[in-house]
Amino acid sequence: MAVTTKATIASFGGKLLKCAHNASTTSCEMAFNLYLPPQATINPLHKVPLLIYLAGLTCTADNGAEKGFFQHAASQKGIAILYPDTSPRGLQIPGEDDSYDFGSGAGFYVDATKDPWSKGYKMYSYITSELPKTVLDAFGQVDGSRVSIFGHSMGGHGALTLFLKNLGKYKSVSAFAPIANPSNCDWGKKAFGGYFGEDNKAKWAEHDATELVKNWEGDPLDILIDIGTSDNFYKQGQLLPENFQKAAHGKGTVKVRWQDGYDHSYFTMATFADDHVNHAAKYLLG
């Protein structure tokens, strides 16, 4: 589908584009932000790799682009960053806007199978297929053969599961405070029960990073995860990174860095943004 660019903003020598398109998978108009580094804007023939950022609960396509400061390192390395929305919008499904952790702003990067959510809540297909194809068709500077993914909280869950479910599709993955074992936390149980059904536990496992990593057969993992020691959602048992680390034993490196005094907010991500872009750059530019 055609892309409409609604705003162009100068950022770290490059351009942050605020875009929208009509998406068939989600049955609505979807917004996204795309950062093109100076290497791509100065020379439109220069191809740059793509890093996809998946945001957390309640977020839109704007949060990461405006608060994460990922453009700083991306401009230095010559990497484009794609910031999708976190759910369909305005589908008029009863209950869609009733809570912060289900429905609008909480698509959990899955394809819902339970009605009425199955009619538009197809964020897995949107992120893995329709959106990247739309971006590649519209922006010739972006190299679709070099793509990495990362995210925060619900988006960290999305980044880990999309990476683990699609062997070879993404060059690398990292996460800030990911919901690493959603089948065993309140956020995940609510989302998976609503989108898949309470009894469809096999489907839950297909979108749970802790379950997926047990069957990983690709190259040794190299995953960077940052979590703040003052993250209240970690303390509430929503993230469960230890379960993921245990399940990933023998599969490579899962480096969890506990950042003293940091919380679950974008202040934490902005502080360590360069590290995550540089982690992706090792694989995108190597």
Side-chain angles (χ1 to χ4, degrees), residues 22 47 62 105 216 257 275:
N22 291 316
K47 291 273 192 176
D62 294 330
W216 176 255
R257 305 190 306 184
D275 292 349

Side-chain angles (χ1 to χ4, degrees), residues 36-47:
L36 294 174
Q39 294 85 343
T41 57
I42 294 171
N43 179 7
L45 298 179
H46 181 79
K47 291 273 192 176

Side-chain angles (χ1 to χ4, degrees), residues 117-153:
W117 309 100
S118 61
K119 293 180 174 62
Y121 276 71
K122 302 287 186 182
M123 290 302 293
Y124 176 85
S125 292
Y126 177 70
I127 298 295
T128 59
S129 181
E130 184 174 9
L131 178 59
K133 183 180 186 305
T134 297
V135 169
L136 293 174
D137 287 347
F139 301 96
Q141 309 99 310
V142 179
D143 183 356
S145 69
R146 293 181 291 160
V147 181
S148 285
I149 194 165
F150 72 137
H152 169 239
S153 193

